[in-house]
Every structure is written in structure tokens, then in C-alpha cells.
Amino acid sequence: MALQKTLSLLLLLLLTLLGLGFVQPSYGQFMYQPLQQQHVDSTQRGGTSLYRNTMMQRQGMTRLRCKQFNTFIHENIGAINNICRTPNIQCRNGKENCHEGVVRVTDCRLTASFPVNCRYEGRGSSRHVVIACEGNPQVPVHFDG
């Protein structure tokens, strides 16, 4: 009887620990969601005029007004998370939780703004980007430049 009680407690402890392990990634994913929505497209290489105009519209950056500038990162989540492992640098807002890395991007700059017809120019390239990271483990939460 004592052995069965001990096994039951161990099973409960194991399930609790597994449950805690599943909660943390979803919290990190929640923190990452705004950055992903606005700046990450790992499925495309970008760079073309059609890509820039379509993505800005699809991601909701042309609804109420045309967003002046946006960058799409063309890397998978693992590569973006790795940026959070580089040394801290100062963000534009003065905080020290930014990190820098080189990734493939498409920069989109507004060239024409009609009531519901925003047009963008830019190009695809590999360049340094700065990303703010938070949490433990750290996850990317804000594109800083």
C-alpha cells in the first residue's frame, strides 16, 4: 500500500513538472506574437514590389493609415531566438535588453499613400538588426531596428 502511494505521488510530481514545462513555451510564444505578426516571414525571401505591398496589407499595416516603414525578417524562429543569446546592447528607448544579429530582411518604405492604396519600395538584403528580448529563457519581443 505504501509503495502504491509513493508511486502515485511520484506520478503526480512528474505530471506537474511536465505541465510546468508546457506552460513556459506558450508564455514565450505569447510574448513573441506581436513581433512575429509584424516582422517575421520565414516562408519567403521577399524583396519584390509585389511582396512588399502584399505583406504590408496582409499584416494589417495599411488599414487605418499607411505605416511609414517596416522590416520583415526572413529567418526561422530558431535563428531569431539565437539573437537573444548575443551580448546585451542598449535599445533606442535606453533599456539594456536589446541584442544584435545578422539576418535576411525585406525593408518596406512608403512611397505613395492613397486612402486605401499604400505603395512601398525597398529591397531584400542581409543586414544587422536589433531586437529586444525578455523572459527566462529570453525570447524576442520587439524589433528595435
Side-chain angles (χ1 to χ4, degrees), residues 70-87:
N70 193 66
T71 299
F72 290 103
I73 301 171
H74 304 297
E75 300 289 348
N76 64 41
I77 184 66
I80 297 169
N81 281 340
N82 283 339
I83 294 173
C84 293
R85 293 184 182 100
T86 64

Side-chain angles (χ1 to χ4, degrees), residues 25-57:
S26 64
Y27 174 69
Q29 185 178 10
F30 172 75
M31 292 173 61
Y32 174 71
Q33 203 65 26
L35 175 90
Q36 186 175 18
Q37 170 71 28
Q38 197 169 16
H39 297 288
V40 177
D41 180 16
S42 62
T43 64
Q44 301 287 323
R45 294 197 54 87
T48 68
S49 176
L50 177 62
Y51 174 84
R52 289 186 301 273
N53 293 311
T54 301
M55 285 302 292
M56 292 296 285
Q57 185 176 17

Side-chain angles (χ1 to χ4, degrees), residues 15-142:
L15 290 173
T16 302
L17 291 174
L18 284 173
L20 291 173
F22 288 125
V23 170
Q24 191 170 3
S26 64
Y27 174 69
Q29 185 178 10
F30 172 75
M31 292 173 61
Y32 174 71
Q33 203 65 26
L35 175 90
Q36 186 175 18
Q37 170 71 28
Q38 197 169 16
H39 297 288
V40 177
D41 180 16
S42 62
T43 64
Q44 301 287 323
R45 294 197 54 87
T48 68
S49 176
L50 177 62
Y51 174 84
R52 289 186 301 273
N53 293 311
T54 301
M55 285 302 292
M56 292 296 285
Q57 185 176 17
R58 183 182 299 157
Q59 300 306 87
M61 290 179 254
T62 61
R63 282 194 188 121
L64 300 177
R65 63 181 175 85
C66 302
K67 185 174 180 184
Q68 292 290 317
F69 185 84
N70 193 66
T71 299
F72 290 103
I73 301 171
H74 304 297
E75 300 289 348
N76 64 41
I77 184 66
I80 297 169
N81 281 340
N82 283 339
I83 294 173
C84 293
R85 293 184 182 100
T86 64
N88 288 28
I89 61 172
Q90 188 174 32
C91 304
R92 286 187 285 178
N93 66 5
K95 287 185 171 184
E96 295 287 333
N97 66 322
C98 278
H99 305 264
E100 186 176 34
V102 177
V103 292
R104 290 176 296 132
V105 300
T106 295
D107 292 314
C108 306
R109 185 176 315 280
L110 184 67
T111 58
S113 175
F114 304 104
V116 289
N117 193 13
C118 308
R119 292 287 165 235
Y120 293 87
E121 69 174 17
R123 65 185 185 104
S125 65
S126 288
R127 69 173 176 85
H128 285 268
V129 296
V130 177
I131 294 176
C133 301
E134 293 180 2
N136 187 14
Q138 288 200 332
V139 294
V141 295
H142 175 73

